[in-house]
Structure formats: C-alpha cells, structure tokens
Amino acid sequence: MKVVSLVGARPQFIKAFPVSRALADRHEEVLVHTGQHYSEAMSEVFFEELDIPTPEYNLGVGSGTHGQQTGEMVTRFGELIEREEPDTIVVYGDTNSTLAGALVTAKTDAPLAHVEAGLRSHNDAMPEETNRILTDHVSDLLFAPTERGVTNLETEGIENVHLTGDVMYDAILWARTRAADHSTVLDEHDLTAGEYVLTTVHRAGNTDDRERLAAIMRALGAADREVVLPIHPRTADCLDTYGLRETVEEQLTVIEPQGYLDFVRLLDGAERVATDSGGVQKEAFFLDTPCVTLREETEWVETVDAGWNTLVGADEEAIEHELQREITLPEKPELYGDGDAAERMVALLEETDG
Ligand code: UD1
Ligand code: UDP
C-alpha cells in the first residue's frame, strides 16, 4: 500500500510520527510537508529528534492569509498527488494543511483518512473548527481519538467512524522516559521540577486581540512562582506589535520554542501548566500536570469533565486564582486508548485497501 501523509504544522509532526513508525517496513509512506511551519524550532528539530525520515517533499508554502495559504497548498498538493497516485491519503488534526489535504483528496479516487476526527469546540470563530468540520465531512475513514469524537460524528450523520485512541498518547509513551533520561532543559534554564509554571499561548483568538493577550500576560506575570514561556513565533510577533515584549520578558522566563523531548520534560516537571494549546491540554493529563486552559471552551471536554483541566479564558482574576489554588488531582480515567492508536489505524487502512 502506498500512503501519502500530509503534515505542515508543529503538532502534526508529533501526531504523524507514531503512524509513520507503524507503517514502516510494511508499506510505502510518502511524507509531504506543506511548509506551513518552517522556522528551525517549529519544524526541522522534530524530524531530527523523532527519528522519522525528513519529508520527501516540502511544498514551501509558508505563512499568509488563510485563503492564500490554503489555496497555495491545494495547488501544490494537487499537482503532487496527480504524480504520486497513492492508494490512501492521511491528514492530521485541524490546521490549514489538514483542510488543504482534504480538499484535494476529496476529488481524487484515493480514500481520505482523518487522524483526530470528530473533535468539536463548538466555537465557530476558531479557524480550526472550520477545518475540522470540513475535513470530517469529506473523509472516508475517520479515526476518532475519543468516545465523544465518535458521538459528534454520529450526530452529524457521518459514517465509517472508528474509535482508535489518540496518537498523541502513543507519542508520549515513547517520549516520557526518553525526555527524563536525556533532556537537559531544566538545567539549561536553572529550573527545579515542581517549582515553576509552564505556559504556552498561540491561539489566534488570544494573540490577535491585544486586550486578551495583555490580560493573560498580566495574570501570568502576577504569579508567585517562576513562569516559563516557550514562545510561539506568532505570539512573539504580536507582543512586539503591541509593545508588550519588554514587560513580558521582565516578568516571565521567555525561551525559544522547544523540541518535543525538551518540551515534554518541561511539562512533566511543571507544577502546573497554563495553555491555549489543544495538544498540551492532553499531554498535561498524560503527564499528571494540572492544566489551566486559557480558553472559554475546549474540544478536549473529557479532561475538564474528569476534573483534570479548568477553563479560564483570558479572565485575569480567574487565571490568577487557578494558578494559586491548591489542586488535588482526582483519579485518572482512561480517556485516550492504550497507546496503540497508530497500529489500529494502520490495520484499518490495510482493511480498506483490501
Ligand atoms: C497553526 C494552526 C493552529 C495550530 C498551530 C500549531 C491554522 C489555521 N492554525 O497556527 O491550529 O495550533 O499552527 O502551532 O492552521 N511563524 C513563523 N515561523 C513558523 C511558523 C509561523 O515565524 O515556522 C509565524 C508567522 O509570522 C506566521 C504566524 O507565525 O504568520 C502564524 O503561523 P500560521 O502557521 O499561520 O499559524 P499558527 O498560529 O502557527
Ligand atoms: N510543543 C513542542 N514545543 C513547544 C511547544 C509545544 O514540542 O515549545 C509540542 C507539544 O508537546 C505538543 C504540540 O507541540 O505535542 C502542540 O502544538 P501546538 O501547541 O503548537 O498546537 P495545538 O496542539 O494547539 O494545535
């Protein structure tokens, strides 16, 4: 079976590597990178440390408006698919790269498989929500990480849904001990496990709104512990534009975006995490780190229902309170499968290929 996997943004490199490993030796995988993320710390570093082949193609699309970026990806990926003629195309998550892959594949004979299908935040203003819904509706094979994902798809009348578990859980099982054994990131930044708060902020809804970003940064700056911010380039740009960079750097420990193993080590060692990332909410749950989510809603609702994640939006007082509050984590339910999601997906791809 010849599989084309399409990736382009940081979380997709992490979601794709367990699938690449499961495909290796048995099938031909052509890994295609749209070029949506291109800075060394947002792209190359992952291919080096995750020990997966560098993509066979990089479409070099880069940054732009949603229309420009998605349109360029569709053009370039469409041309490539005509040449490659794969048996199946796999897309991951909910970025513009995901949507472009889905739009192209919907008009070919190859089946489209969507990894991380069925998630809904029910916030239509999120570009990712549009990407998810459209992708799910043109997919032929839907790999839902959670029961909730299956229910969401059933409600929308979508068929061929499979509960596979979450590839990010597969990834963390591979990474956690490796990170603990090999990462030197805590020493590099003079951090002691259990004594700092980790934070990541990059959602358009937070960064593109000066007031929201300023409120989040003020709340983080008011914490009584060291707060470490590996800064996404989008957030760095916005802080510059708003004239907030200097103050934030005085109050927080601002560091470059981290490689996966160093980031996992930072998250594992954090006393708690404050984030608007989708993936980091789940990884916090996997690594037993209490999570404060800087959004009003989440597609990972089961972490909130289980008492492992609290939604605070950009409300300054609520963030300060949640960072301060004594937290006793409840018992951990099994929510994301047992670490063999990628193997299950490959078995389902094989069945479909016949
Ligand atoms: C994208 C995804 C988002 C995902 C995030 C993961 C969409 C609509 N958004 O958001 O769902 O959570 O990736 O991190 O697909 N930039 C660089 N170097 C890079 C990449 C980006 O400097 O390697 C800067 C550019 O100024 C760019 C901005 O970041 O304009 C935003 O990048 P973009 O890929 O459009 O969106 P993200 O915010 O990264
Ligand atoms: N991540 C990383 N380095 C960082 C921040 C995040 O390797 O500095 C990883 C993190 O472990 C997770 C993924 O990137 O696996 C999440 O990506 P991001 O937050 O950019 O996107 P989202 O999940 O919100 O789409």
Side-chain angles (χ1 to χ4, degrees), residues 78-92:
E79 286 165 5
L80 184 146
I81 287 305
E82 281 199 17
R83 285 199 309 277
E84 285 290 333
E85 298 183 351
D87 298 309
T88 304
I89 297 171
V90 185
V91 295
Y92 298 82

Side-chain angles (χ1 to χ4, degrees), residues 9-12 14-15 37 41-42 45-46 49 94-95 116 128 132 168 171-172 198-203 229-232 255-264 266-267 275-283 295 299-300:
R10 172 167 71 187
Q12 294 171 320
I14 291 151
K15 288 166 196 171
H37 285 177
M42 296 296 290
V45 62
F46 298 101
E49 66 179 347
D94 54 18
T95 73
E116 221 179 62
E128 293 82 0
R132 289 177 197 129
M168 289 191 78
I172 215 91
L198 180 67
T199 188
T200 78
V201 183
H202 76 277
R203 288 255 94 73
L229 168 64
I231 196 160
H232 190 289
I255 60 177
E256 289 301 302
Q258 299 293 297
Y260 181 54
L261 290 178
D262 284 341
F263 188 81
V264 167
L266 279 169
L267 184 54
T275 189
D276 63 8
S277 161
V280 175
Q281 291 174 61
K282 276 180 298 170
E283 289 171 342
R295 291 171 48 187
E299 51 288 350
W300 301 106

